[in-house]
Amino acid sequence: MADTPRRPSRPRMTGSERREQLLVVSRSLFAERGFEGTSVEEIAARAQVSKPVVYEHFGGKEGVYAVIVDREVQTLLTALIGPLRRGGHPRVTVEATALALLDYIETNTDGFRILVRDSPVAQATGTFSSLIGDVATQVESVLADQFRRQGFDPANAPMYAQMLVGMIALTGQWWLEARSPEKHVVAAHLVNLAWNGLRALEVEPKLTPAAVRRRQGG
């Protein structure tokens, strides 16, 4: 009887290659099912390894998640800070920043899904809100300079920076699922609201009397 041909064995991965494979597999699972919905068993099964291999590299699900979140935070932060540091006309800066976020969502959809999900682990490793706070800090100096030129109080720049960046971030979360209209159209509308609104800012804005009466129940 002829010997049964042996199936070629797969080349053994190095430690760093295995670690990267586990991160890729886990990233997809976390994006699909969330932190709570993903187990070490599922990570190991999809990577075709035993559970101890996952524990050996990351100490558990929390360790894998922390590394993934940290990487995504750094990637997105770099993308958003780039246009701000390049400077130029404020409108162009807002346009470039909005497009940078939408570009990231388009090319790193799984990563963005992970960042905007709520997880206890993310509280220690960085959240989407804390990342947006870092970006807003960079925007403060841009707005403060514009406020001085227009006679506004630059002390209000941090508050306006949070408003502007928050608007872009929340629109990005909406576009993550909607994907329509196209990103350049979304960015144009974002800038339309942000820039045209900023251009007509009042030095000392006040609520209308009707709004105050309604708040007081009048």
Side-chain angles (χ1 to χ4, degrees), residues 34-36 65 113-123 127:
F35 177 78
E36 297 297 340
Y65 187 86
R113 287 189 192 281
I114 291 169
L115 287 181
V116 298
R117 286 183 186 273
D118 200 13
S119 167
V121 178
Q123 302 305 314
T127 63

Side-chain angles (χ1 to χ4, degrees), residues 19-164:
R19 180 181 173 85
E20 287 303 314
Q21 183 219 17
L22 290 171
L23 287 171
V24 170
V25 165
S26 301
R27 185 176 184 266
S28 177
L29 281 169
F30 287 134
E32 177 186 336
R33 304 180 184 182
F35 177 78
E36 297 297 340
T38 301
S39 66
V40 172
E41 288 84 356
E42 289 173 310
I43 294 172
R46 188 168 290 191
Q48 297 184 333
V49 298
S50 62
K51 287 199 303 180
V53 173
V54 180
Y55 288 111
E56 176 187 349
H57 283 277
F58 298 100
K61 179 175 71 169
E62 295 79 4
V64 188
Y65 187 86
V67 173
I68 291 171
V69 169
D70 184 63
R71 284 188 175 187
E72 295 300 330
V73 165
Q74 292 305 315
T75 300
L76 181 52
L77 187 59
T78 299
L80 295 179
I81 294 299
L84 297 173
R85 289 180 175 168
R86 281 193 290 272
H89 193 281
R91 174 167 183 154
V92 175
T93 299
V94 174
E95 290 173 339
T97 303
L99 276 173
L101 175 62
L102 297 174
D103 281 340
Y104 171 84
I105 294 172
E106 185 175 61
T107 58
N108 297 276
T109 300
D110 282 354
F112 192 71
R113 287 189 192 281
I114 291 169
L115 287 181
V116 298
R117 286 183 186 273
D118 200 13
S119 167
V121 178
Q123 302 305 314
T125 58
T127 63
F128 185 61
S129 60
S130 66
L131 181 148
I132 292 305
D134 290 340
V135 176
T137 300
Q138 299 286 328
V139 173
E140 287 177 20
S141 60
V142 177
L143 291 183
D145 182 57
Q146 289 298 309
F147 279 17
R148 291 188 189 94
R149 294 182 183 183
Q150 297 184 40
F152 299 149
D153 185 357
N156 289 326
M159 176 173 61
Y160 278 90
Q162 293 288 338
M163 295 175 187
L164 180 60

